[in-house]
Amino acid sequence: MSENNAPKASLARWWRQVLFVPLLHSKWLTADARARLTDEVTRAELGHRGEVFLIVENHLPIQDAYHMDCRERAVDLFSEYRVWDTEENTGVLVYVNICEHQLEIVADRGISNHVSPTVWRAMSEKAVSGIANKKTEASLAELLDEIGQVLRQYYHLEHDPAGNELSDTVVFLK
């Protein structure tokens, strides 16, 4: 991250993470909901060479929360889970932070060359609005479908001979 885009240190953000009670806020993410969202990821990946990866996290790591915001965390997870490591650089990470009520989309350079950051931002804002209205699973399913449509637009392929480069399983970081 460049100096101008570096997240600002925030004691308030750190306290939100410390005081966050996961049991009260992540009840919606049952095993069945994770399975349905995993199916949505699989459907979102049909018909193109892109890879979609969904991570849901209760809160930022306490030790990092003072200096790290959700965008920086999403970029770190993009690297940690090797979403960037697809053959044509078409990985897209969707990161949901329950405590911060934020959703970040990080797209690899292959797709970022075609899709404007404002498109990703609009998609994120729409999903966050649905989440705020207690329609979390449905909003995420709709977002995954929209990402799949965008990837099909630029990387259409009826049959992907390279197969699935990344797991479709939803990652839940408690």
Side-chain angles (χ1 to χ4, degrees):
M1 242 183 209
S2 69
E3 291 295 320
N4 296 339
N5 292 333
K8 293 181 180 169
S10 171
L11 194 55
R13 180 176 54 233
W14 182 82
W15 271 112
R16 278 193 304 274
Q17 311 315 302
V18 169
L19 298 174
F20 182 76
V21 180
L23 235 84
L24 299 176
H25 302 281
S26 57
K27 290 179 187 176
W28 66 272
L29 194 58
T30 63
D32 288 342
R34 278 189 292 217
R36 287 189 297 272
L37 287 171
T38 295
D39 290 343
E40 290 295 333
V41 170
T42 301
R43 275 192 286 285
E45 290 185 352
L46 295 176
H48 58 80
R49 295 182 304 257
E51 290 291 328
V52 181
F53 201 79
L54 174 61
I55 297 178
V56 178
E57 185 169 46
N58 273 325
H59 56 80
L60 296 168
I62 302 298
Q63 68 275 15
D64 299 325
Y66 180 72
H67 294 287
M68 177 186 285
D69 64 8
C70 289
R71 182 67 185 175
E72 188 175 20
R73 177 69 172 156
V75 170
D76 283 354
L77 292 170
F78 183 83
S79 175
E80 182 179 329
Y81 284 89
R82 300 176 64 94
V83 179
W84 55 267
D85 197 17
T86 59
E87 186 174 338
E88 296 185 46
N89 301 88
T90 56
V92 177
L93 170 77
V94 176
Y95 170 74
V96 179
N97 186 290
I98 298 171
C99 176
E100 292 294 302
H101 306 285
Q102 289 191 17
L103 185 147
E104 296 288 339
I105 299 174
V106 181
D108 206 348
R109 63 187 176 272
I111 192 69
S112 287
N113 290 334
H114 301 290
V115 182
S116 160
T118 56
V119 170
W120 298 124
R121 196 168 18 262
M123 292 168 73
S124 293
E125 289 170 2
K126 180 179 173 188
V128 167
S129 174
I131 291 168
N133 290 320
K134 306 285 190 235
K135 297 176 182 170
T136 305
E137 185 181 340
S139 296
L140 290 175
E142 187 176 336
L143 173 65
L144 293 167
D145 181 59
E146 289 174 1
I147 291 170
Q149 290 176 35
V150 168
L151 289 168
R152 274 182 220 97
Q153 186 176 352
Y154 296 103
Y155 291 97
H156 179 76
L157 187 63
E158 274 313 309
H159 174 68
D160 185 358
N164 201 5
E165 295 179 74
L166 299 173
S167 171
D168 293 348
T169 305
V170 175
V171 174
F172 180 46
L173 303 175
K174 297 177 183 186

